[in-house]
Amino acid sequence: MKGAIKLNSDKKQNPHLHPTVENLSQAIFTVNRHAKTAPNPKFLYKLKHDALQKLIKEGKASKVGLHYSGNPKNSQQQSDVLVKCGNYSFHLPPSKEDFSQLPHLGKLDSYVRNPKASLSLNTAKKLLMAYTGLKEYNSTPHQKKPRYEKPVFKKLGESYF
C-alpha cells in the first residue's frame, strides 16, 4: 500500500529537472530546435546562450573552435563558436577573443548530428530558467477580445455625449 502511494508521488515529480550536464544539454538542444520555428525566438535563444555561457564558466562545457556559419547574415562569411556540452554540440556567436584564442575548423560537417532528446519544450524551458535564473515575460499578454456591441444611432440633432 505504501509503495503505491510512493509511485504516485514519484510521477508528479519530473525526473528531468535535475541540472546534470546531460539534462541541461538535452534542454538546450530542445530549446534551440524550437527556437528555429518559434514566432518570437528571442527569449529561447537568450536562454540557450546564457545556459551555455554558464556551463562554459563552470567547466561543464568547452569551446572547441570556430566554424563558418551555414547562414551568414549580411556578409559573405561569418564564423560561429562550436561549443561541446555532454554528447551535444552547439553554435554561439563569437566574441573578439574567440578569434584569437580558438582554432578555425573550417566548414561545418553536415554529417555530424546531435543525439535525439526526449524533453518537451516546457520541461526544457523550466530546467534552463531554473539553472540560469532568467524569467520569461510575455510581451503580448492574452487579452479577451471585446464583445461586439451594436452601434447606437441617435436621432438627428441629438448629442453623442
Side-chain angles (χ1 to χ4, degrees):
M1 192 75 173
K2 285 183 181 179
I5 294 170
K6 187 174 189 230
L7 285 175
N8 288 340
S9 66
D10 284 348
K11 284 182 185 176
K12 290 178 185 173
Q13 291 179 340
N14 197 331
H16 296 293
L17 290 179
H18 301 294
T20 64
V21 174
E22 195 57 35
N23 285 345
L24 289 168
S25 55
Q26 278 188 32
I28 294 168
F29 175 77
T30 302
V31 163
N32 191 44
R33 186 181 65 215
H34 282 84
K36 294 176 191 317
T37 58
N40 187 10
K42 278 188 176 184
F43 176 72
L44 296 178
Y45 281 125
K46 174 92 173 120
L47 203 54
K48 169 196 170 189
H49 182 269
D50 288 6
L52 282 172
Q53 290 295 353
K54 186 172 179 181
L55 284 164
I56 290 167
K57 191 175 179 182
E58 292 174 350
K60 297 175 181 175
S62 61
K63 293 181 179 181
V64 178
L66 295 163
H67 268 155
Y68 289 122
S69 176
N71 302 314
K73 287 184 183 168
N74 298 325
S75 60
Q76 296 281 343
Q77 266 181 345
Q78 180 180 332
S79 294
D80 293 323
V81 177
L82 177 67
V83 177
K84 191 85 171 135
C85 179
N87 296 327
Y88 292 83
S89 301
F90 303 101
H91 285 104
L92 285 177
S95 64
K96 287 185 179 181
E97 298 82 39
D98 291 334
F99 285 102
S100 60
Q101 296 173 354
L102 296 173
H104 209 293
L105 307 172
K107 191 177 170 189
L108 174 66
D109 185 2
S110 60
Y111 295 107
V112 177
R113 294 277 180 220
N114 281 327
K116 291 193 176 187
S118 59
L119 281 178
S120 70
L121 177 61
N122 240 0
T123 304
K125 278 171 53 177
K126 283 179 189 173
L127 176 61
L128 293 178
M129 286 166 59
Y131 180 68
T132 60
L134 280 177
K135 300 218 182 316
E136 183 175 20
Y137 298 105
N138 290 340
S139 57
T140 55
H142 297 289
Q143 296 175 353
K144 285 187 175 181
K145 288 184 180 178
R147 281 187 53 203
Y148 177 75
E149 293 182 22
K150 293 181 182 177
V152 178
F153 295 103
K154 301 280 185 182
K155 290 181 182 173
L156 191 61
E158 281 186 27
S159 173
Y160 282 95
F161 304 104

